[in-house]
Amino acid sequence: MQQKRHNLHGAFQKWDDSVNFNDLLILKTIAERGSFVSAAEHLDLPTSTVSRRIAELEKQLGVKLLQRTSRTVQLSELGELLHQQTAPHLEGLIDSVTFLQDQQEHVSGKLVVVSPIFLAYFRLSEWLGEFQARYPNLEIQYRISNSIEDIHTEQVDLAIRPGPLKDSSLVAKFLYQPEMRLYAGLPWLKNHVLPAHPHQLTGVRSFTVPYFAKTWNLHKGSKTYQLTTDYQAYANDYGPLAQAMIHNAVIGVLPTVYGDEFVRQAKLIKLLPEYKVEPPGPVYAVYPSKQFLPRKTQLLLRFLEEKFAAL
């Protein structure tokens, strides 16, 4: 066995990294099928391509790999030696690639998704359930957290995050630009009249998330108004903030896709509906890399883009 390896390395003096493994596969198929025509049919290639690739491989290696006659094609001594040494490895590569392709086609395995709490209250829980129903062999682990997890160390496949991306090693794909509006609960209405202009809300008691614990910029057309309230940073998420607004005489800022749901339930009212509050930034899908993105992640990303676009 050692002698064969020595002969192999000694014979192919011109072997380098430019050798195409597809050419080795063609050689293997010719050896098994016994002709260029049969090999070409099996590989679904033109016979001329098979002949040209073998000629290129012989040129690269500097040896004759096949003995050709008018009727038959046989491996030369060195061709047989190369075939014996490479065929088992090619089989292993083909099996591995086929396995990966099957995995990608059938969409299985584990998919870890992370999002802020308010998106779970909103539609994301429902959407992920719908996505999992499409691919029943897929195990979805949905983590709800407002902390910025390390996607790499926590093995997160996809994180849904609002605001700008701080880690340049990650990829952020735009999903949605939320609209922010002013809302109030029914207790607030008992002691206040509906305002017609932002200045009527100056100094009013409000609950907010940390990002809005400052002056609020309200936009109407090309005009901008600054509103300063008697604010308290009540929660780090819109879910508990909305519940607090429902039961207390306060106002606050919520995403419309979330706050309007409570308006439909007659639990909140929208204040100054013609005014938009300056948002913290878009919602992004964040993932580790554009290259070699697993098909399951690609499918979820496409699915979420369609869902957010329909809002």
Side-chain angles (χ1 to χ4, degrees):
M1 182 64 68
Q2 290 293 332
Q3 185 63 33
K4 276 194 173 183
R5 290 183 180 175
H6 174 74
N7 289 342
L8 182 64
H9 290 293
F12 304 131
Q13 296 296 328
K14 295 184 180 180
W15 181 279
D16 59 33
D17 291 339
S18 65
V19 171
N20 190 325
F21 280 92
N22 288 323
D23 295 344
L24 296 176
L25 178 59
I26 291 173
L27 179 67
K28 173 180 177 295
T29 307
I30 292 173
E32 294 171 348
R33 297 278 168 168
S35 74
F36 281 88
V37 173
S38 181
E41 290 177 351
H42 181 73
L43 295 170
D44 195 23
L45 293 172
T47 305
S48 59
T49 299
V50 171
S51 179
R52 178 170 51 81
R53 293 312 308 165
I54 289 298
E56 181 65 25
L57 181 60
E58 289 179 326
K59 181 180 178 181
Q60 284 183 295
L61 298 178
V63 298
K64 200 74 172 174
L65 298 174
L66 297 173
Q67 299 291 348
R68 301 168 178 85
T69 68
S70 59
R71 295 183 179 180
T72 63
V73 176
Q74 293 182 334
L75 293 173
S76 67
E77 181 181 357
L78 289 176
E80 181 64 37
L81 187 58
L82 178 62
H83 175 61
Q84 290 176 2
Q85 294 292 317
T86 59
H89 301 292
L90 288 171
E91 289 289 352
L93 287 171
I94 292 169
D95 289 344
S96 297
V97 171
T98 301
F99 172 77
L100 287 176
Q101 289 174 333
D102 289 343
Q103 290 292 99
Q104 290 284 72
E105 182 178 349
H106 293 98
V107 189
S108 61
K110 182 172 68 174
L111 186 64
V112 180
V113 182
V114 178
S115 85
I117 299 170
F118 88 92
L119 283 177
Y121 287 135
F122 169 51
R123 304 277 180 84
L124 200 54
S125 296
E126 173 190 337
W127 291 347
L128 289 177
E130 180 182 340
F131 183 77
Q132 202 278 330
R134 289 189 185 182
Y135 306 101
N137 293 324
L138 188 62
E139 175 193 345
I140 296 181
Q141 291 189 3
Y142 182 25
R143 303 176 187 170
I144 303 171
S145 172
N146 282 349
S147 63
I148 305 300
E149 298 190 37
D150 189 318
I151 288 181
H152 297 289
T153 59
E154 297 295 328
Q155 297 184 324
V156 174
D157 294 292
L158 196 68
I160 314 300
R161 292 290 177 213
L165 183 63
K166 296 180 181 180
D167 187 345
S168 60
S169 69
L170 300 174
V171 179
K173 188 173 184 62
F174 173 87
L175 287 178
Y176 181 66
Q177 175 62 70
E179 285 190 4
M180 312 297 292
R181 299 294 177 93
L182 293 172
Y183 295 87
L186 301 183
W188 187 85
L189 273 181
K190 292 181 179 179
N191 299 312
H192 299 83
V193 296
L194 289 176
H197 192 276
H199 71 76
Q200 294 176 265
L201 295 175
T202 300
V204 167
R205 185 167 176 252
S206 66
F207 283 170
T208 183
V209 294
Y211 177 84
F212 286 107
K214 57 185 179 182
T215 299
W216 300 341
N217 291 319
L218 276 61
H219 302 281
K220 181 181 179 182
S222 60
K223 297 182 179 180
T224 299
Y225 302 88
Q226 290 191 330
L227 175 61
T228 301
T229 64
D230 179 15
Y231 59 78
Q232 175 186 350
Y234 180 82
N236 67 342
D237 187 82
Y238 295 114
L241 178 63
Q243 292 299 319
M245 291 165 59
I246 289 171
H247 299 289
N248 292 273
V250 295
I251 68 170
V253 177
L254 295 172
T256 55
V257 292
Y258 190 57
D260 284 1
E261 186 65 32
F262 292 104
V263 173
R264 284 189 285 271
Q265 298 172 17
K267 294 180 178 180
L268 291 177
I269 59 168
K270 188 181 290 185
L271 303 178
L272 301 172
E274 66 274 24
Y275 289 85
K276 297 180 180 180
V277 181
E278 188 173 298
V283 173
Y284 295 97
V286 181
Y287 47 96
S289 173
K290 286 184 179 179
Q291 291 185 320
F292 312 118
L293 193 65
R295 185 162 181 261
K296 57 189 176 184
T297 309
Q298 294 179 34
L299 289 170
L300 177 59
L301 194 54
R302 194 177 309 137
F303 175 82
L304 291 177
E305 285 181 296
E306 293 173 357
K307 290 294 187 182
F308 276 104
L311 292 176

